[in-house]
Amino acid sequence: MRRTISLLLLLACACGEEGPEPGEELSGGDTTVHDTTRNAFALAARNLQGERRDAFFTGNALFNRNWVTAPASTTGLDGLGPTFNAPSCAACHFKDGRGKPPTEPDEQPLSLLFRLSIPGQDAHGEPLGDPAYGGQLQPQAILGVPAEGEVTLTRSLREGRYADGTGYSLEEPHYALANLAFGPVHPELMMSPRVAPVMVGLGLLEAIPDAALEALADPDDRDGDGISGRINHVWDVEHGETRVGRFGWKANQPSLRQQNAGAFRGDIGITSDLFPAEDCPAPQTACHDALSGGEPELEAEKLEQLTFYTRTLAVPARRDVDKPEVLRGRRLFRELGCATCHVPRHETGTVEDAPELSKQVIFPYTDLLLHDMGPELADGRPDFEATGSEWRTPPLWGIGLVETVNRHTRFLHDGRARSLEEAILWHGGEAERSRERFRNLTVNDRTALLRFLESL
């Protein structure tokens, strides 16, 4: 191993670039797997052994199972809906990967959902749902229950030009509600599109100590670098207290268990001990009257199995870390300021029930903080302490394998970017300076930066 590292450093010196940090190719520390196939996001942590590895596959089966309408002979897997987005976790997170917006004329959004809210917050700071449609539009329903409605998607192009004269275009989405079953929405409705994210490494992100995130935060930009970085303080349902948010596009969930329970209810219509009430707004009487699959429908044991699975999905190793072009892109990534928010390196703390995730040096390329991304990416919908233009820095590990696993290259919170290059060019707000530096690079340097991202 030491000999390999030395060779890497020599190669790096030969091309005039700083070499990678020892172990940098192992993005997920000891959990990292070496796989570049279509299953690269669906593997167990490499250091997961014995019965704990068996438990991973139990959770995997639950992740992929379709839920059915209650009552059913499939005991313990009925209770779908009454309204829902998808019948299973895997329907949106195909192969534990990334969702995308519709790309065909008659295609309906499946792995792109729409959060709804109106002005105001509940007692814990959570957004208020629409009186007739709740907090998330449900375009599907079980037999005998009306689906809530649909979203139509149109697109337009924005033309731009690099400093060297090379042209580019950005695809801008436009959304509209259609076929609403319960009348008009609230006149001040706010709607937020969110695509299903990649599932790898979530347990490692959960294991980063709160103190490490608080040390990165600079809400008042005291260092004057133009980057704030704020923690979203959100409500922890299980513990009945406010905690650091770290999951979801706006960091609106404090833990994987709550994230999973929320997705079960919001996306599949399955209740749990954390969220025991069906998501049936007052006007939806058929939804209220529909048969339940149990109280709750998801037993606590199954929620634990699913959460264990999502905690222990492995991160794929980087590729080509020692290639001269990748190393140049790595240097540019830092020089342009991208690494200020997409923080490369973290160390996990001690996790009592997960030794595999404890004390790991990881390279997720995120600070898990909220940043103002400017008006062009704003959804205008606050979420706890996140404003309508703030988003959590998404982790970048595995991003170079999305095309292999999911057969598309759609990025950002709503999948509007058709490539990594477009994703960079959409950056605004706190990231505008880095975007402009990218626009002013030569074509060879832009290519090197993209090659670096593809190596993650």
Side-chain angles (χ1 to χ4, degrees):
M1 181 65 182
R2 184 172 299 172
R3 184 178 178 184
T4 302
I5 293 170
S6 299
L7 179 60
L8 291 177
L9 291 172
L10 282 173
L11 288 170
C13 292
C15 70
E17 300 287 351
E18 180 186 354
E21 178 180 337
E24 190 174 321
E25 74 277 15
L26 301 177
S27 302
D30 292 340
T31 74
T32 308
V33 293
H34 294 269
D35 192 297
T36 57
T37 71
R38 244 199 135 178
N39 289 321
F41 295 158
L43 302 175
R46 183 164 49 91
N47 56 352
L48 197 63
Q49 303 295 326
E51 292 181 354
R52 292 174 64 77
R53 199 169 185 83
D54 296 339
F56 171 87
F57 291 106
T58 301
N60 173 263
L62 187 58
F63 188 85
N64 287 290
R65 283 293 296 268
N66 278 351
W67 288 74
V68 299
T69 305
S73 57
T74 314
T75 307
L77 287 173
D78 61 347
L80 176 67
T83 57
F84 59 97
N85 286 82
S88 71
C89 306
C92 295
H93 301 278
F94 183 64
K95 288 191 171 293
D96 301 283
R98 183 180 176 82
K100 68 174 183 62
T103 52
E104 300 299 326
D106 297 327
E107 185 182 358
Q108 285 297 310
L110 175 62
S111 52
L112 173 68
L113 60 81
F114 292 84
R115 293 281 171 81
L116 309 175
S117 63
I118 63 175
Q121 296 178 319
D122 71 8
H124 304 303
E126 188 169 4
L128 300 177
D130 180 88
Y133 296 93
Q136 184 170 314
L137 187 73
Q138 310 286 356
Q140 300 193 61
I142 63 173
L143 189 64
V145 175
E148 292 183 332
E150 300 173 350
V151 173
T152 60
L153 169 59
T154 56
R155 296 181 170 95
S156 60
L157 290 180
R158 293 186 179 202
E159 304 296 333
R161 197 164 293 281
Y162 287 106
D164 64 7
T166 305
Y168 61 79
S169 65
L170 303 179
E171 192 176 84
E172 182 178 12
H174 308 279
Y175 308 104
L177 293 169
N179 301 321
L180 294 173
F182 302 98
V185 295
H186 189 279
E188 297 183 79
L189 182 82
M190 295 171 279
M191 185 164 71
S192 178
R194 301 181 187 187
V195 77
V198 174
M199 300 294 295
V200 301
L202 298 180
L204 293 167
L205 297 181
E206 191 172 45
I208 298 173
D210 286 355
L213 304 183
E214 289 161 354
L216 291 171
D218 184 17
D220 301 318
D221 191 22
R222 292 189 175 183
D223 62 7
D225 66 352
I227 309 296
S228 59
R230 299 196 309 121
I231 287 175
N232 196 4
H233 297 95
V234 303
W235 186 246
D236 186 314
V237 175
E238 183 175 9
H239 297 94
E241 62 184 15
T242 298
R243 295 181 64 185
V244 172
R246 59 178 73 207
F247 296 109
W249 284 103
K250 292 207 176 217
N252 65 346
Q253 295 288 1
S255 68
L256 266 179
R257 189 169 187 269
Q258 184 165 315
Q259 167 72 27
N260 292 335
F264 260 110
R265 190 182 69 157
D267 301 349
I268 311 177
I270 301 297
T271 60
S272 64
D273 58 349
L274 288 187
F275 299 107
E278 298 280 8
D279 187 12
C280 297
Q284 299 188 28
T285 55
C287 181
H288 280 284
D289 295 341
L291 292 176
S292 168
E295 295 181 358
E297 293 163 326
L298 179 71
E299 298 102 330
E301 182 183 14
K302 284 190 172 66
L303 178 56
E304 294 308 317
Q305 292 167 344
L306 195 285
T307 299
F308 182 81
Y309 172 73
T310 55
R311 274 198 180 118
T312 52
L313 273 164
V315 181
R318 286 187 59 197
R319 289 79 54 207
D320 301 329
V321 291
D322 58 334
K323 299 291 186 186
E325 190 175 41
V326 171
L327 290 173
R328 189 163 88 250
R330 177 181 181 272
R331 171 176 56 79
L332 290 166
F333 185 82
R334 287 160 169 76
E335 289 178 357
L336 267 56
C338 310
T340 306
C341 302
H342 289 287
V343 175
R345 186 184 190 279
H346 290 274
E347 293 185 30
T348 64
T350 299
V351 186
E352 186 176 346
D353 58 348
E356 301 86 357
L357 307 177
S358 299
K359 300 298 182 185
Q360 297 295 315
V361 175
I362 61 175
F363 297 87
Y365 288 85
T366 176
D367 59 7
L368 297 180
L369 301 177
L370 299 171
H371 295 277
D372 188 329
M373 295 301 290
E376 293 177 332
L377 288 180
D379 64 356
R381 179 182 182 274
D383 200 337
F384 288 96
E385 295 180 6
T387 69
S389 60
E390 286 181 321
W391 298 95
R392 183 201 69 161
T393 308
L396 299 181
W397 51 14
I399 200 167
L401 289 170
V402 168
E403 184 172 11
T404 299
V405 173
N406 294 118
R407 302 288 197 260
H408 70 80
T409 55
R410 289 280 180 168
F411 299 106
L412 296 179
H413 66 279
D414 56 1
R416 70 175 63 192
R418 294 170 293 182
S419 65
L420 290 172
E421 183 178 3
E422 279 193 34
I424 296 170
L425 293 167
W426 270 111
H427 280 53
E430 296 177 34
E432 182 176 344
R433 186 163 52 182
S434 295
R435 180 198 68 197
E436 288 306 295
R437 288 170 175 165
F438 178 74
R439 284 185 64 254
N440 283 284
L441 292 177
T442 65
V443 62
N444 287 340
D445 280 348
R446 294 199 301 271
T447 301
L449 181 60
L450 294 171
R451 281 281 293 122
F452 165 70
L453 293 176
E454 290 166 356
S455 79
L456 297 179

